[in-house]
Amino acid sequence: MPIRGVLLDIDDTLVDTRGAFGAALAAVAAVYLPVGVDVERVVAMWRADASGHYRRHTRGELTAAQQRLARAQEVHAAFGGPPLDEATFPAWDEVFRTGFRAGWRAHTDALPTVRALREAGYAVGALTNAVGPLSQDKLERVGLAEDVPLLVTLDTLGFGKPDPRVFLQACARLGTAPGETAYVGDELDIDALAALRAGLGLGVWLDRPGTRRGGPHLEDPAAAAEHGVAVISSLTELPGVLGRVDVR
Ligand SMILES: [Mg+2]
């Protein structure tokens, strides 16, 4: 079955969320962490999320703020920040969220690729594990909202990827059958592999050079190949994988 629809992840796929975490955690470090702390190491710990707090959030077990507090406490314990609790966390979170929002940028390959896909006749939309208002704000701030309709967020069903139901819901909203729909994301297990398990026609792992998370995350090209996942290192390779158009 030919692919007619393309669903895209947002964070670290369309938007440079890793860079935004860098901005957020640099702002946090300036207020809360000892002078001279290596912010790159803080970012690496945050993204690895070795305790899986964000994934508990995507299963509906923690709120967005609860998972951030748990990760903030781990960062402070590791890098010498003061203890945080529910009373002191809102001020921390304000610093983090302000820096995070200011750091949002689209990846430079995002808009040209999305426009090329749309011009070639593909239906395009976003499926993200982040919450709805934040995701819409993010797409608008980086200039993608008009080209990438936000179809399914964590609040749509109350849980997120890798549950197959969110992929099927996104296909229904996109208007394409699962078998003629591709999913593209930067996390091999919860994006491409989960999409294939849900019955989508194509799973694409965007493995941008130098951006792997480490920790418990599955980031193995051999595992991708074994399951028939297409692997790309830039979104500009996506049309070639889908087989019909070139990005100008
Ligand atoms: Mg992502």
Side-chain angles (χ1 to χ4, degrees), residues 9-15 17 128 161 183-187 190-191 213:
D9 171 51
I10 295 177
D11 289 306
D12 288 318
T13 296
L14 295 171
V15 174
T17 307
T128 174
K161 304 171 291 185
Y183 189 76
V184 185
D186 66 294
E187 294 186 70
I190 67 162
D191 291 333
R213 289 171 170 74

Side-chain angles (χ1 to χ4, degrees), residues 4-8 110-124 184 235 238-240 242-248:
R4 293 200 310 117
V6 181
L7 292 167
L8 293 142
L111 193 57
T113 299
V114 164
R115 288 195 169 156
L117 294 175
R118 290 171 57 112
E119 283 170 20
Y122 290 97
V124 175
V184 185
L235 287 175
L238 181 58
L242 301 174
R244 293 221 311 250
V245 290
D246 294 319
V247 178
R248 284 180 288 275

Side-chain angles (χ1 to χ4, degrees), residues 65-137:
Q66 285 170 335
Q67 63 84 22
R68 274 199 304 280
L69 170 57
R71 291 161 80 184
Q73 287 170 326
E74 289 183 356
V75 161
H76 278 218
F79 293 95
L84 290 170
D85 57 25
E86 286 179 9
T88 55
F89 177 65
W92 187 100
D93 205 31
E94 182 66 24
V95 173
F96 178 91
R97 285 158 57 108
T98 301
F100 188 50
R101 195 165 184 273
W104 288 339
R105 303 282 183 277
H107 277 292
T108 54
D109 53 11
L111 193 57
T113 299
V114 164
R115 288 195 169 156
L117 294 175
R118 290 171 57 112
E119 283 170 20
Y122 290 97
V124 175
L127 157 58
T128 174
N129 267 2
V131 293
L134 178 81
S135 301
Q136 187 63 41
D137 188 22

Side-chain angles (χ1 to χ4, degrees), residues 3 15 33 40 42 44 46 58 89 95 118 130 136 140 150 155 165 172 175 192 199 206 224 232 238 245:
I3 297 296
V15 174
L33 299 180
E40 285 300 314
V42 178
W46 188 268
T58 65
F89 177 65
V95 173
R118 290 171 57 112
Q136 187 63 41
E140 286 171 8
L150 183 60
D155 350 49
R165 290 171 287 182
L206 174 59
I232 58 177
L238 181 58
V245 290

